[in-house]
Amino acid sequence: MHCRPDCGACCIAPSISSPIPGMPDGKPANVRCIQLSEDNRCNIFGSDLRPVVCASLQPSFEMCSTNREAAMTWLINLEQATAP
């Protein structure tokens, strides 16, 4: 499966604890990553600067569903279910 154009849910919904360029402390859940472009593409995709957790996240129907809103809901629920 490929990323849906103009989505970016996986760069907003989950928290990221590792440093991101421009966000040295990572990012909290439901906060837009500073590296997410205006057209919802990762500015550091394919770069060594991209956090390992981001590079390991692969699009799937379960996560991405059929639209951005459903993807956000699924990812926010996953974030809440796995929070410490």
Side-chain angles (χ1 to χ4, degrees), residues 17-46:
S17 58
S18 54
I20 302 164
M23 300 178 102
D25 298 321
K27 69 167 222 59
N30 214 19
V31 170
R32 186 179 181 88
C33 178
I34 197 167
Q35 294 299 328
L36 189 60
S37 70
E38 289 298 316
D39 64 347
N40 291 319
R41 298 267 186 196
C42 178
N43 288 322
I44 56 174
F45 188 86

Side-chain angles (χ1 to χ4, degrees), residues 1-80:
M1 182 169 181
H2 296 285
C3 289
R4 183 179 20 271
D6 201 34
C7 181
C10 60
C11 300
I12 299 169
S15 61
I16 299 175
S17 58
S18 54
I20 302 164
M23 300 178 102
D25 298 321
K27 69 167 222 59
N30 214 19
V31 170
R32 186 179 181 88
C33 178
I34 197 167
Q35 294 299 328
L36 189 60
S37 70
E38 289 298 316
D39 64 347
N40 291 319
R41 298 267 186 196
C42 178
N43 288 322
I44 56 174
F45 188 86
S47 166
D48 290 340
L49 298 174
R50 188 173 180 218
V52 172
V53 67
C54 297
S56 68
L57 191 61
Q58 298 296 310
S60 67
F61 182 79
E62 182 181 45
M63 178 176 70
C64 303
S65 192
T66 57
N67 60 66
R68 182 179 189 273
E69 291 74 25
M72 285 290 294
T73 298
W74 192 87
L75 285 162
I76 288 169
N77 288 336
L78 179 64
E79 179 70 30
Q80 290 171 347

